[in-house]
Amino acid sequence: MDHFDYKNGRICAESVPLAHIAKAVGTPFYCYATATIERHYRVFSQALEGLDSTICYAVKANGNTAVIRTLARLGAGADVVSGGELKRALVAGVPHDKIVFSGVAKTREEMAAALDAGVMQINVESEAELAILNQVAVARGVQAPVAIRVNPDVDAGTHEKITTGRTEHKFGIEWTRVHQVYAEAAAMPGIRTSGVAVHIGSQITDLEPFRAAFIKVRDLVAMLRADGHAIGRIDLGGGLGIPYGEAGANGSVPTPEAYGKMVKEVVGDLGCHVLVEPGRVIVGNAGILVAKIVYIKEGSTRTFVIVDAAMNDLIRPTLYNAYHAIVPVAEPPADAAWKEVDVVGPVCETGDTFGSQRKLPPLEAGDLLAFRTAGAYGAVQASVYNSRSLVPEVLVRDGAFAVVRERIDTDDILARETFPDWMD
Ligand code: LLP
């Protein structure tokens, strides 16, 4: 249930017709439904009920401050991976002591910002990073609250570009080095190591890789405690997959309930505070991208439906071969003659294709199409390639909508570009 349904012949976001928003805001635009964001957060937190846990929403999935604030108001913490995301989380109202700072290459400046903000935890991913964090903390007269992100060498079975838990990946401390690194950390005056962190990838549609990784974490906690380290917190990362298919043909993904049950089974009796960092499962289905058809181009072998959104607005299809369901905003009549078309954007690359051979009803220029399940890794990965505008974002709640990020157009960007003196 995503709160983007046909009502009176047109898709509404909650009770706002998308066509109304298109008229007011122009196309393309992202639209998020508050009800879906809230529902997914609640379902996820219910799944963890009984466990001493904090949900640190992965800001990278959708960093819009109004989206983050929606979650913060429900009690969510945040997982951030840059100084920019840290700022966003704080501006959105996430309490500093519910923020986890992850990422493989935190700079001194980012570390300082995180320490000054008083974040709950900094996840360290290399010995080099640990040494620098120690220096930064000592210089400030504080101890950095650290979890070591370990690389469990588990294959998440997801797309090669978003799998992170194997030894050949850049993430985390290699399994064989873990004991050594905890020992080094314990000797550093600016480091207070209290946790173990793991994250094996994203869009994971099977619980077994999670289970395998979490069992390794559980065993590691026991060993580290035996070594004398006080481990009070584990961070299990994000990664739970969601269905991207057409309604009714979704393929199967584990439910948050099943995920929560497994987490409790594996780590429930460790006596640790458990952090989770879900992104996609919270916001993925809570957003859609709405575009307008510019032209229909009939070829000898294909019909191209050319829309005004492009790969710069939603890069997932071309970057990960991702499937996003494409639906007409106006409900087609029951007797419509559906046919296969290619839905493409205006960018000068063949990769600018949202869907090949998709069944759609008769369409014409000016009609609106919606790309579903675009709430996660959609707007955040948008660019201005081809000097297109940065796509605006709209948040709906019940019958109201608000532009929560304006369209940033070429004039805005040109205002930041200058000619060097020698061109005068
Ligand atoms: N925690 C860490 C340390 C992460 O690296 C990530 C995602 C998450 C949590 C959240 O994972 P989620 O629950 O959203 O799966 N752009 C790609 C996805 C990249 C994911 C990167 N890390 C896509 O569009 O599929």
Side-chain angles (χ1 to χ4, degrees), residues 54 56 96-100 118-122 145 233 273 275:
T54 302
C56 295
H96 62 91
D97 55 358
K98 283 189 175 180
I99 296 178
V100 176
V119 300
M120 164 170 54
Q121 176 171 302
I122 300 179
R233 208 183 274 144
H273 183 69
L275 308 184

Side-chain angles (χ1 to χ4, degrees), residues 56-61 79 81 102-103 123 125 149 159 161-162 164 171 198-199 201-204 235-241 244 276-283 315-316 319-320 322 324 376-378 380-381:
C56 295
Y57 163 65
V59 166
K60 66 165 75 66
D79 163 49
V81 292
S102 309
N123 291 351
E125 300 216 19
R149 174 166 171 185
H159 190 279
K161 288 187 181 160
I162 52 174
T164 55
F171 300 96
V198 74
H199 170 80
S202 190
Q203 186 53 17
I204 299 169
D235 178 344
L236 301 179
L240 188 58
Y244 275 93
V276 283
E277 304 172 347
R280 191 189 312 262
V281 72
I282 306 291
V283 291
I315 203 168
R316 302 195 69 261
L319 192 54
Y320 315 108
H324 287 263
Y377 307 108
V380 278
Q381 296 197 106

Side-chain angles (χ1 to χ4, degrees), residues 75-247:
D79 163 49
V80 302
V81 292
S82 68
E85 285 193 355
L86 174 61
K87 250 183 215 169
R88 282 184 177 277
L90 292 169
V91 163
V94 178
H96 62 91
D97 55 358
K98 283 189 175 180
I99 296 178
V100 176
F101 200 131
S102 309
V104 287
K106 294 177 264 319
T107 62
R108 283 175 187 271
E109 292 73 25
E110 288 174 323
M111 291 170 179
L115 292 174
D116 292 350
V119 300
M120 164 170 54
Q121 176 171 302
I122 300 179
N123 291 351
V124 167
E125 300 216 19
S126 67
E127 289 164 87
E129 192 188 19
L130 187 64
I132 298 293
L133 180 57
N134 180 47
Q135 286 175 14
V136 174
V138 166
R140 307 183 106 65
V142 297
Q143 276 200 315
V146 161
I148 303 291
R149 174 166 171 185
V150 297
N151 183 321
D153 199 19
V154 167
D155 187 352
T158 182
H159 190 279
E160 57 171 88
K161 288 187 181 160
I162 52 174
T163 186
T164 55
R166 295 295 301 273
T167 308
E168 63 265 33
H169 300 139
K170 67 182 175 184
F171 300 96
I173 302 276
E174 267 193 47
W175 202 247
T176 49
R177 296 280 309 153
V178 167
H179 289 273
Q180 173 66 26
V181 173
Y182 273 89
E184 280 169 23
M188 292 180 175
I191 302 291
R192 180 169 42 81
T193 309
S194 54
V196 177
V198 74
H199 170 80
I200 58 170
S202 190
Q203 186 53 17
I204 299 169
T205 55
D206 178 1
L207 285 184
E208 289 319 305
F210 284 120
R211 189 191 300 274
F214 299 167
I215 287 173
K216 282 191 137 181
V217 167
R218 181 189 65 196
D219 295 347
L220 179 63
V221 169
M223 286 188 274
L224 291 170
R225 283 176 173 166
D227 287 351
H229 302 289
I231 304 294
R233 208 183 274 144
I234 51 173
D235 178 344
L236 301 179
L240 188 58
I242 60 171
Y244 275 93
E246 312 286 349

Side-chain angles (χ1 to χ4, degrees), residues 319-336:
L319 192 54
Y320 315 108
N321 288 324
Y323 183 97
H324 287 263
I326 305 173
V327 290
V329 167
E331 189 169 18
D335 60 352

Side-chain angles (χ1 to χ4, degrees), residues 228-310:
H229 302 289
I231 304 294
R233 208 183 274 144
I234 51 173
D235 178 344
L236 301 179
L240 188 58
I242 60 171
Y244 275 93
E246 312 286 349
N250 281 338
S252 73
V253 291
T255 59
E257 289 78 1
Y259 172 86
K261 188 164 168 274
M262 180 271 295
V263 167
K264 287 181 227 173
E265 269 166 29
V266 179
V267 299
D269 59 1
L270 273 182
C272 279
H273 183 69
V274 178
L275 308 184
V276 283
E277 304 172 347
R280 191 189 312 262
V281 72
I282 306 291
V283 291
N285 274 312
I288 55 174
L289 172 65
V290 179
K292 189 186 279 176
I293 297 173
V294 188
Y295 296 113
I296 309 273
K297 181 170 168 179
E298 301 282 356
S300 58
T301 58
R302 298 267 168 136
T303 297
F304 297 101
V305 173
I306 309 174
V307 297
D308 63 0

